[in-house]
Amino acid sequence: ERTFRPLKADDARGKMIAPLVDAGDARTRAVHQILRDYVAGDVDAMAKLGRRLFFDRRLSQKQQRACADCHQPERAFSDGLSAPRSLTPGVTLRRNTPTLLYADLNAAQFWDGRVASPERQALGVIHNRAEMGASPATVLRRLRASRTYSDAFARLFADGIQLANVG
């Protein structure tokens, strides 16, 4: 039988980050560690970096698409289409763009549940040739070439710009 307990980590404004979590599984323990690390950091700077990445087209192969192009804030972080446009001619994307609202509360990501976290989901889309199509090397090279990104990642992550810190 699973037990539930309140999460103790608070954000910078003293609000509870997650009111209830399953205390018994490995994923929850990992989330607790991430939240402890996250809360210990600069929450405002992390949000600003995430926002900048979300709207940055450098994360796509030909720099023509950002996360926000399909997950439009004014459309509840979706695009209102039955199937999004592919970047690859002849390739049809079969599923609509899901909202990002509360995505971190989903048990799994993508419509088929193939990844466990929004961070891994984001990297999957960035590297998928039909969606954003940028290789890991391209993403890292472009971000590292930016002084703004280099400085922001260095302040927030001990290992700087790494794929695990981008997603």
Side-chain angles (χ1 to χ4, degrees):
E1 182 177 325
R2 291 183 161 185
T3 59
F4 290 87
R5 64 181 166 83
L7 184 64
K8 301 293 184 191
D10 293 341
D11 73 6
R13 292 169 237 14
K15 296 178 184 172
M16 188 65 75
I17 290 174
L20 203 60
V21 295
D22 178 347
D25 66 15
R27 183 167 185 250
T28 298
R29 288 191 297 276
V31 168
H32 281 220
Q33 184 59 51
I34 290 167
L35 287 173
R36 280 192 293 276
D37 293 345
Y38 176 75
V39 171
D42 184 337
V43 175
D44 292 331
M46 184 76 75
K48 185 176 180 182
L49 175 60
R51 190 175 305 109
R52 184 178 298 132
L53 289 167
F54 188 75
F55 287 94
D56 197 332
R57 291 190 166 151
R58 284 179 280 194
L59 297 179
S60 67
Q61 180 61 32
K62 295 181 181 176
Q63 301 186 57
Q64 72 219 57
R65 182 176 282 176
C67 301
D69 290 326
C70 294
H71 299 281
Q72 301 164 17
E74 66 276 8
R75 293 183 184 232
F77 293 93
S78 186
D79 60 9
L81 302 172
S82 59
R85 294 176 198 90
S86 172
L87 290 181
T88 305
V91 174
T92 301
L93 299 174
R94 298 178 298 164
R95 297 178 177 112
N96 72 331
T97 303
T99 182
L100 296 181
L101 297 175
Y102 306 108
D104 58 328
L105 300 177
N106 293 336
Q109 305 299 313
F110 289 110
W111 286 113
D112 59 6
R114 68 182 175 266
V115 298
S117 72
E119 295 81 8
R120 292 200 53 204
Q121 184 273 344
L123 290 174
V125 171
I126 289 169
H127 302 318
N128 182 309
R129 70 182 182 92
E131 295 181 80
M132 291 178 76
S135 70
T138 297
V139 170
L140 293 174
R141 185 181 70 251
R142 287 180 183 160
L143 295 179
R144 288 174 179 159
S146 164
R147 184 173 186 92
T148 302
Y149 277 126
S150 293
D151 291 348
F153 275 90
R155 279 193 308 275
L156 293 166
F157 301 99
D159 55 353
I161 299 174
Q162 301 296 328
L163 284 178
N165 300 338
V166 173

